Structure formats: C-alpha cells, structure tokens
Amino acid sequence: MTKNEIADVLTEIATLLELKGENPFKIRAYQNGARNLEALEDDLGELISSGELSKLKGFGDALVQKITELFETGKLEFYEKLKASVEPGLVSMLEIPGLGAKKIKAMHKALGLDSIEALQKACEEGRVAALKGFGKKTEEKLLLGIKNREAYGKRHIWWAARAVADPILAGLKALPEVVHASHAGSLRRKRETVGDLDFIVGSDEAKPIMDWFVAQEGVAEVTAHGETKSSVRFESGLQADLRVVRPPQFAFALHHFTGSKDHNVMMRQRALSRGLSLSEWGLKPVEDETFENSLVAETEEDIFSHLDMKWVPPELREGLGEIEAAEKGELPKLLEYSELKGVFHNHTVASDGRNTLEEMTAAAEAKGWEYWGVADHSKASFQANGMNEDRVLQQLEEVHALNTSGKFKTHVFSGIECDLLVDGSLDLSEALLMKLDYTVVSVHIGFTQSEEEMTARIIKAIEHPATTMIGHLTGRILLRREPYKVNTQKVIDAAIANSVIIELNANPKRLDMDWRLWKRAAEKGLMTSINPDAHRTEHFEFVEAGINAARKGWLGAENVLNTRSLDEVTSILSLKRNHLKESLSS
Ligand code: DGT
Ligand code: CA
Ligand code: CA
Ligand code: ZN
C-alpha cells in the first residue's frame, strides 16, 4: 500500500472507532496518525526499514506496527475485525450528507437507530428533534439528506461508471465472436453523471457474448437475457445494457444508442427531409418496407456523410446546435488531452493535500507538463489547514528554492486558493497576494446567501485586482450538494470585463462551472483553466474529466489558459500582477 492509501485506512479506522463510541483519545490518535503520515516528506519504505519511523514525533509503537503491516501486506487484521464488528447500517448512514459518526453514534445509543430506514422513520415521527443537541432544524436537514440520497442514488458519476465500464468493454473485445464493440449512451457522450451503462457489439453469433455478459463477476441480478439485448445490475447498483447486432448494422446501432434522444430526433428529421428513414437498423428510402437494402455504413462517419454532414463527436450530441454546425462544416476543434501543458489549483500537505511540493512537481514532470501551480487553502479555511500570512511566505520561498534548484524540468507557479469572505473581501491582503504568481478565489463558507448577495460577493472578488481566477463557481458536488444560488450570466460578464478566468474544476464530482454554460460564455470571450483541484498526485488524472466537460461545452485549446506554453502563461499571469502594482502605487 502507498502512504496515501494507508492514511485513508487510518482515517476510516478513526471513523469506525467513533461509531463504536470508543475513547476520544484513541480516535484522535488515528486521525493524527493519518495526518502525520500524509505530511511525511521522506520515503515511507526507507523510514520503515531503517527503523526511523518510530523515532518521529507522533508515531507511537502501535501506530508504527499497523502502518508497517499495511505497507508490507496491504492488509491489517485489526482493521478487518473492526469493520466486521460495526453494524453495516451505521456505516451506511455516513452516506447521508451532513451526518457524521458522532451524531450517528448518539442516535444509535439514544434511539437504537441502526439503519437509514429507521432513521427516516424516527425523523418523521419527531423523535430525533427531541434528542439533546439535535432539534427541529437538524431533523429537517436529515430528512432532506435521505431524500436526496435516494434521488441521487439512481445515477452515478461518470468517473466511477467509466471505471466499471472499461474492463467490461475490454472483456467484450477479447471474445472471439466479437467483430466490433463500443461504449454507447451517456457514458460515451461523457455526461457528468450516468444512469446506466450501454454497450453495443457487432457479431454474427450473439449467444456466447450474451452468456459471457450475464455471467460476469460482480453481477448481482440479471434483468434481461435475450438474443439481442441483455441487462444486468452490479452489486454497486449500477446497471448495464448490452445490445448485439449484425456487423453491417453496428454503426447504425452505435449511433442510435449513443443518443442523445434530442440528437437522434434531429438526425431523423434531417434524414426525412431527404426522403430517408434513419433508425438503429439502418438508413433507407422512406418508401422501402424494410432495412434490407439499407445504405452502407462501415463507420459512424459514413452515416453522417450520407446526410451531408461531418462526423459529430459524441460529446456534442446533445441537440444543442451540433447538427447545424456539422452541416455547415463549422464544428469546433475540441480540446484534447495532449494539448494541456500544465495545471493550476492544486493542494499540498501545506493545507489539506496529501503530497509534498516536491512529490507534486515530480508527478507533473512525469506527465510531461511544462508547469504546475500550487494553490493551497488560505487561513479562513481552518478546517482544511489553511495557511496564514507567514506560512504563505514560507511556501513562496520553498517554491522559489525548488525552481532555482534545477531539480525538475517542470516549473512551479506559486499561487493560493484564497477564501472569499462573506462580505466579498479576500482572506489575504493585496500586498501579500501580489507576491504570488496567481490567485484562485473560492467560496467555501456562507453558502446560504441570497442570489443577489452571492452574485455581488463574487463580482466584488472578480473586480479585485489580485484575482486571477474563480474556483468552482457554484460549489456543487454532483449527486450530493446542490449549487449555491448565483447569477452565472452576470458573473460571466463581470469576469470577461475584468479579464478574470473562471476555472473548469475537473474534480469528477464537481465539473464546475457546468458545461452547459461554456459555449455561450466562450463565444463572449471568457477564458477557462482546466483545474484538477488535486489533493494528491493521482488527482492530476482528473484533468480527463475536465476535458470531457470542456469538450461538451464546445471549448477548444484557444479558450483554455493551460494549453499555453510556460512563456505565454508567465506573461499572462504577470500582466495581472502589473495591474495590481499600479493600483497599489496609485
Ligand atoms: P442515462 O443512461 O440516463 O445516463 O442516458 P442515456 O443517454 O445513456 O440513455 P439510455 O441508456 O436510456 O439510452 C441510450 C441511448 O439510446 C439514448 O441516449 C438514445 C437512445 N434511445 C433510448 N431510448 C430511446 C427512445 O425512446 N427514442 C430515441 N430517439 N432514442 C432512444
Ligand atoms: Ca445509459
Ligand atoms: Ca440504457
Ligand atoms: Zn476549493
């Protein structure tokens, strides 16, 4: 196990102990252990083998023994036993937004609540509000959380769905009977959330393919097992559909089941206007009875070309202008992964990240990036270990030292994710922010303001001369937390007027600002930056989800700051800083 994975296990141990009502000192020991482990700069394997680990402050014998067991075997008996000893109903309650171990424990003790259903019933009967330290408001919040969890439980974030889908597709492709195979549906269109997985296969022999599909590992229920279609449900609740068609029909079926419905309706209309009928079976003259003499399509390109259109990337198939653009040959050249030259908005152990400045730089270099930018939290985010003025300056020196050391080819930009306070002022002074290369301004508190207040608050930040970009504009957490109220059009206009960037937060649970807003905003001149909001080196991968959203928003490299070279970015960022110097000296 890696350092970060071990830290996750320690954190979970603390939660489980809390659910069991164990001694607070013991709980804190694991929480601190996780934090201390994350903050280690040296190689964990070396610290263990040299025995140095137990000499470090905060690493007692019991903790070191557990870390060593996890590091060497990937398992920990103590943890397995602990997990088995906690009622699963209590653990599942942790999924309710805003409900932590302490409250679950208290309700379990006082009311014997041991499942989400029992909790819901108790809330409806007012028994939770009557508990000491809870009250009517908490009860209402819990009920809402339970309701949202149900509604949200029907969908899955794309990132998680893709992780399930990729091995299935690889398995299909490896079957000897399979001629063509692809993802389809919302997964292929790269929607931020996915209802179910869709797969299309071209083959002359469906049966063994269907049999393999329904017998996969992890299938909890087979809901259909037919000649052309099978459906399964996995233990996670995610469902998957497989359709097998004859190879000549593959491209038509793939196009049809990729959708979206709106796109399909418009495509059929276009076909009809040329006397053709389009379906998952093929493309034929309207007057033909069957699709037996369908026009031929080896690929999706051929289908579009029969209708005098350029191939439309699946991400654009939402019925939002792609048909017109494709017939005029005006489809945008969409952003690609290979075009990114670096990233901004990333955290390190200086605030709530898991890796050090050096580890993050090494990871950015391994990706071939020319630069990356650190942006740890500022002091108002004390729950995320936000930095005060002294620590900001100290990190700035570390960044300078690292850049001048020549240790890495990748340049580090010094930045910060500065909290936007409720009155619209920034958490740190202009003079301090000016010393950094850039500032990401984010809302982390005061989510319940009215739309007018929130809009004015964010626009005030946009007009602040030190603001380079706005982080996660609406604060939404997909399938978990609704966006706060803000007039996005006014904010977009203000950002353009002040040459401020609005980030596309690429965390697959955020994807904020939403892709639906980008096409128009970019046409008006808004710039974005694809920001992974990485809290550990692995999170750099999130840029893939951000690129999906950017592509769905019709964005190309020209709309994105981090497709620029190191030199270009340096001069764009310093332009903003020079303005600031002027405003400070006037
Ligand atoms: P999801 O699963 O809710 O995230 O969204 P999709 O788009 O994957 O929808 P799904 O799985 O129900 O169906 C896959 C595609 O099949 C859909 O995007 C378009 C096509 N399709 C399914 N049902 C219909 C329909 O009744 N009419 C049309 N035109 N297309 C359909
Ligand atoms: Ca689907
Ligand atoms: Ca489906
Ligand atoms: Zn943030």
Side-chain angles (χ1 to χ4, degrees):
M1 260 187 188
T2 66
K3 189 175 85 177
N4 290 339
E5 287 164 346
I6 296 173
D8 285 343
V9 172
L10 296 179
T11 306
E12 209 182 318
I13 288 175
T15 306
L16 290 168
L17 290 173
E18 213 171 347
L19 283 175
K20 290 193 76 162
E22 291 272 354
N23 170 342
F25 292 105
K26 204 165 156 189
I27 296 165
R28 207 160 312 134
Y30 283 98
Q31 286 164 342
N32 291 340
R35 198 166 315 126
N36 292 338
L37 190 62
E38 285 159 11
L40 280 184
E41 301 245 349
D42 297 316
D43 185 79
L44 181 61
E46 279 167 29
L47 288 173
I48 290 175
S49 58
S50 65
E52 287 294 317
L53 187 61
S54 43
K55 292 185 196 147
L56 296 177
K57 202 172 146 254
F59 289 92
D61 287 346
L63 188 63
V64 169
Q65 181 250 319
K66 290 187 175 81
I67 291 172
T68 307
E69 195 175 329
L70 283 166
F71 182 79
E72 284 168 358
T73 69
K75 284 207 185 81
L76 180 62
E77 208 190 322
F78 168 76
Y79 171 57
E80 299 302 328
K81 280 193 179 152
L82 179 65
K83 250 199 306 198
S85 73
V86 178
E87 288 178 62
L90 298 186
V91 179
S92 71
M93 281 194 228
L94 285 168
E95 289 167 20
I96 299 169
L99 187 56
K102 213 174 267 162
K103 280 200 178 117
I104 295 173
K105 171 71 197 152
M107 293 188 297
H108 181 57
K109 203 167 162 206
L111 302 171
L113 303 181
D114 58 1
S115 69
I116 292 177
E117 294 72 44
L119 171 62
Q120 181 169 6
K121 193 151 174 282
C123 286
E124 282 162 1
E125 292 169 1
R127 284 185 285 141
V128 170
L131 281 182
K132 199 171 152 232
F134 280 76
K136 199 77 214 152
K137 233 176 161 175
T138 308
E139 192 174 76
E140 279 162 16
K141 248 179 149 168
L142 286 174
L143 273 175
L144 189 68
I146 294 170
K147 209 175 101 214
N148 282 344
R149 187 183 158 275
E150 270 171 25
Y152 294 160
K154 298 194 179 81
R155 295 191 73 81
H156 309 262
I157 64 164
W158 180 88
W159 194 261
R162 192 270 304 262
V164 177
D166 277 357
I168 298 177
L169 184 62
L172 286 169
K173 285 185 170 166
L175 298 177
E177 298 83 5
V178 170
V179 182
H180 311 285
S182 175
H183 305 126
S186 51
L187 183 80
R188 183 167 180 239
R189 299 200 313 281
K190 316 273 173 71
R191 288 288 289 232
E192 66 277 28
T193 67
V194 166
D196 69 357
L197 308 179
D198 300 280
F199 299 95
I200 307 296
V201 160
S203 170
D204 284 314
E205 219 183 325
K207 189 167 181 313
I209 302 170
M210 291 303 188
D211 291 348
W212 176 87
F213 186 72
V214 300
Q216 287 173 84
E217 210 184 307
V219 167
E221 190 188 352
V222 177
T223 45
H225 186 178
E227 274 170 44
T228 57
K229 186 186 169 191
S230 291
S231 300
V232 297
R233 188 172 53 75
F234 294 99
E235 278 148 13
S236 65
L238 187 60
Q239 293 183 257
D241 292 341
L242 167 66
R243 289 177 178 84
V244 181
V245 300
R246 303 268 175 200
Q249 197 200 321
F250 176 76
F252 293 104
L254 176 60
H255 176 265
H256 176 85
F257 290 108
T258 295
S260 65
K261 257 183 215 173
D262 290 344
H263 170 85
N264 287 355
V265 167
M266 289 182 196
M267 286 289 280
R268 266 204 306 269
Q269 279 165 356
R270 184 163 173 86
L272 280 176
S273 71
R274 319 178 151 232
L276 296 170
S277 156
L278 173 67
S279 78
E280 67 259 50
W281 306 104
L283 182 63
K284 63 165 181 72
V286 174
E287 59 276 11
D288 278 14
E289 297 260 308
T290 69
F291 282 90
E292 247 161 72
N293 297 313
S294 167
L295 298 182
V296 174
E298 299 271 343
T299 61
E300 280 187 337
E301 273 89 347
D302 294 340
I303 302 175
F304 286 100
S305 139
H306 286 315
L307 301 175
D308 298 313
M309 297 159 83
K310 284 265 186 312
W311 179 76
V312 178
E315 294 92 326
L316 297 188
R317 298 186 198 168
E318 299 291 351
L320 296 172
E322 74 275 13
I323 308 274
E324 294 92 320
E327 52 189 45
K328 289 193 206 136
E330 287 175 0
L331 286 168
K333 191 191 164 311
L334 298 178
L335 177 66
E336 287 176 36
Y337 190 90
S338 61
E339 291 175 310
L340 287 199
K341 297 196 167 69
V343 288
F344 301 92
H345 193 170
N346 305 288
H347 300 264
T348 72
V349 288
S351 63
D352 59 348
R354 292 285 171 94
N355 291 98
T356 62
L357 206 56
E358 288 219 4
E359 288 167 344
M360 294 293 276
T361 311
E365 186 182 65
K367 297 190 91 55
W369 285 339
E370 292 181 22
Y371 51 85
W372 76 281
V374 62
D376 273 307
H377 287 286
S378 66
K379 61 186 189 226
S381 280
F382 51 87
Q383 77 294 341
N385 190 24
M387 301 187 292
N388 62 16
E389 288 76 359
D390 286 347
R391 288 174 56 215
V392 172
L393 289 173
Q394 189 189 329
Q395 187 182 55
L396 178 62
E397 286 196 4
E398 283 168 31
V399 170
H400 281 318
L402 195 59
N403 281 333
T404 47
S405 75
K407 201 169 166 184
F408 298 100
K409 286 202 279 291
T410 300
H411 179 81
V412 187
F413 285 111
S414 63
I416 187 145
E417 183 179 17
C418 184
D419 261 72
L420 176 53
L421 306 181
V422 281
D423 66 354
S425 62
L426 301 191
D427 190 21
L428 295 167
S429 73
E430 279 188 37
L432 180 66
L433 293 172
M434 181 174 76
K435 296 194 164 87
L436 306 174
D437 294 323
Y438 71 102
T439 311
V440 182
V441 176
S442 298
V443 170
H444 293 122
I445 41 168
F447 283 20
T448 52
Q449 286 178 325
S450 69
E451 181 175 321
E452 289 72 35
E453 282 173 311
M454 185 62 90
T455 305
R457 174 180 173 193
I458 294 178
I459 289 178
K460 192 168 165 194
I462 286 172
E463 289 170 346
H464 191 295
T467 301
T468 317
M469 48 182 109
I470 300 292
H472 43 68
L473 180 64
T474 73
R476 75 172 179 188
I477 306 289
L478 290 168
L479 306 179
R480 199 171 168 90
R481 187 170 80 202
E482 292 300 310
Y484 39 72
K485 295 189 204 75
V486 55
N487 185 326
T488 49
Q489 291 311 326
K490 281 191 183 159
V491 169
I492 287 166
D493 289 340
I496 295 167
N498 290 279
S499 303
V500 162
I501 290 162
I502 294 184
E503 80 170 7
L504 206 170
N505 190 296
N507 182 317
K509 294 184 181 165
R510 291 187 181 269
L511 299 173
D512 188 9
M513 175 170 100
D514 190 275
W515 59 267
R516 294 157 187 83
L517 297 172
W518 276 110
K519 184 181 178 206
R520 212 174 127 220
E523 278 165 6
K524 288 196 205 168
L526 185 65
M527 279 278 280
T528 193
S529 173
I530 310 290
N531 285 350
D533 199 351
H535 283 69
R536 54 174 73 179
T537 54
E538 297 93 314
H539 291 175
F540 278 154
E541 290 301 324
F542 288 167
V543 292
E544 190 192 348
I547 289 167
N548 290 346
R551 289 170 64 91
K552 290 196 80 62
W554 293 58
L555 300 184
E558 67 280 9
N559 309 115
V560 180
L561 174 70
N562 47 328
T563 60
R564 306 288 201 268
S565 69
L566 175 60
D567 284 347
E568 287 171 293
V569 168
T570 306
S571 65
I572 291 170
L573 295 182
S574 66
L575 261 180
K576 201 76 199 175
R577 268 21 197 175
N578 290 336
H579 287 159
L580 180 58
K581 276 181 204 148
E582 280 161 30
S583 82
L584 283 178
S585 59
S586 64

